[in-house]
Amino acid sequence: MSEQQDQAGAQVAVLGGGVMGETLLAALLASGWSPQQVEVTEQQVARADDLAGRYAVRTGARNATAAARADVVLVAVKPQVVGSVLDEIAPVLRGGTLVVSVAAGLPLSFYERRLPTGTPVVRVMPNTPAVVGEGASAIAPGAAAGEGHLVLVEKILSTTGLVVRVAEKDLDAVTAISGSGPAYAFYLIDAMAEAGVLLGLPRDLATKLAVATVEGSAALAAQSGDHPVVLRERVSSPGGTTVAAVRELDAHGVRAGIVAAAQAAADRSRELGSQYAG
């Protein structure tokens, strides 16, 4: 589709009906696309029938058939099969079709080598909270993707949460922070809940308190705009319980552990990108 074309009349193919594919499907419909404009490919017949029944969209198993009639193609399959999917659709793509990928690790050059010259490509690094509309996604444009293409991708993702633009070189860092980051948050919630149990609380209550605390703290940080250190200091009375707790976190290297975890995630993202693209 041309850089100036909007969603009116644009046909969209979602290749892959898994969790992220369904998230993109729901986002499209919530953002104003009609079911008649969207087609989903899914190899498992039961899953395809389920999506068709719940969202009233066309479903099928042939990626090339869906891509041939699409103005926008969303690639939501596993990284290890992206190459074969691109080989399927490359011969049938119409000129100017926008290709958007949510597959982790694969560089833009991987797509641009396999697709017709001049095909606009946009990479997206989403995260799992996008499923509930509280995600954080970063988008990076390929050589042929312009401002209009980025605006369109932002429109598609607008109901999934925060959407930011980054250079492709920063996507490994994004993967380490927001892509893998939900696991860090779940790790913290689990640890807080376990602490509550050790201190005598019933597990379900401890878990509810931990979840609500993390959720509320994140909302406060987002709404206030203050630096996290400032927010932490507001909770920390001199000589009080919070100061004693944070001192133990520092003593046990929690901050250093998170930084090391993010570095490991970024390194692994680069390794996987090289492996899949090789």
Side-chain angles (χ1 to χ4, degrees), residues 182-238:
Y184 316 156
F186 299 143
Y187 189 97
L188 176 61
I189 289 170
D190 180 56
M192 291 171 65
E194 186 65 24
V197 172
L198 290 172
L199 293 170
L201 295 176
R203 184 170 295 277
D204 61 342
L205 175 59
T207 301
K208 286 179 181 179
L209 289 171
V211 169
T213 299
V214 171
E215 182 179 43
S217 299
L220 180 58
Q223 292 176 19
S224 72
D226 292 329
H227 193 282
V229 171
V230 173
L231 296 172
R232 191 187 73 203
E233 289 297 323
R234 288 177 186 162
V235 188
S236 305
S237 302

Side-chain angles (χ1 to χ4, degrees), residues 40-272:
V40 182
T41 63
E42 171 56 47
Q43 304 305 310
Q44 297 183 20
V45 175
R47 174 64 172 168
D49 290 345
D50 175 57
L51 293 172
R54 287 192 288 123
Y55 295 99
V57 296
R58 293 195 310 273
T59 59
R62 294 182 56 83
N63 295 317
T65 301
R69 50 192 177 214
D71 302 293
V72 181
V73 175
L74 304 180
V75 181
V77 296
K78 295 183 183 301
Q80 56 266 36
V81 300
V82 169
S84 62
V85 169
L86 296 181
D87 291 342
E88 284 182 66
I89 69 173
V92 301
L93 285 182
R94 293 178 290 172
T97 297
L98 172 62
V99 175
V100 182
S101 178
V102 297
L106 295 173
L108 288 161
S109 60
F110 180 87
Y111 299 87
E112 292 169 340
R113 287 198 308 269
R114 288 164 172 79
L115 297 173
T117 301
T119 299
V121 181
V122 175
R123 274 185 67 187
V124 179
M125 181 63 236
N127 65 4
T128 54
V131 174
V132 293
E134 296 291 343
S137 299
I139 63 175
E147 174 68 17
H149 298 119
L150 291 174
V151 169
L152 182 62
V153 175
E154 288 170 335
K155 172 68 173 173
I156 292 171
L157 298 172
S158 62
T159 62
T160 67
L162 175 70
V163 183
V164 298
R165 299 183 186 185
V166 301
E168 185 180 25
K169 67 179 180 61
D170 294 324
L171 282 177
D172 290 321
V174 169
T175 298
I177 303 306
S178 60
S180 299
Y184 316 156
F186 299 143
Y187 189 97
L188 176 61
I189 289 170
D190 180 56
M192 291 171 65
E194 186 65 24
V197 172
L198 290 172
L199 293 170
L201 295 176
R203 184 170 295 277
D204 61 342
L205 175 59
T207 301
K208 286 179 181 179
L209 289 171
V211 169
T213 299
V214 171
E215 182 179 43
S217 299
L220 180 58
Q223 292 176 19
S224 72
D226 292 329
H227 193 282
V229 171
V230 173
L231 296 172
R232 191 187 73 203
E233 289 297 323
R234 288 177 186 162
V235 188
S236 305
S237 302
T241 60
T242 306
V243 169
V246 172
R247 181 183 62 199
E248 289 300 316
L249 291 174
D250 288 340
H252 286 80
V254 173
R255 177 186 293 269
I258 292 172
V259 172
Q263 183 64 62
D267 291 344
R268 184 57 176 156
S269 178
R270 283 188 286 271
E271 290 172 5
L272 290 173

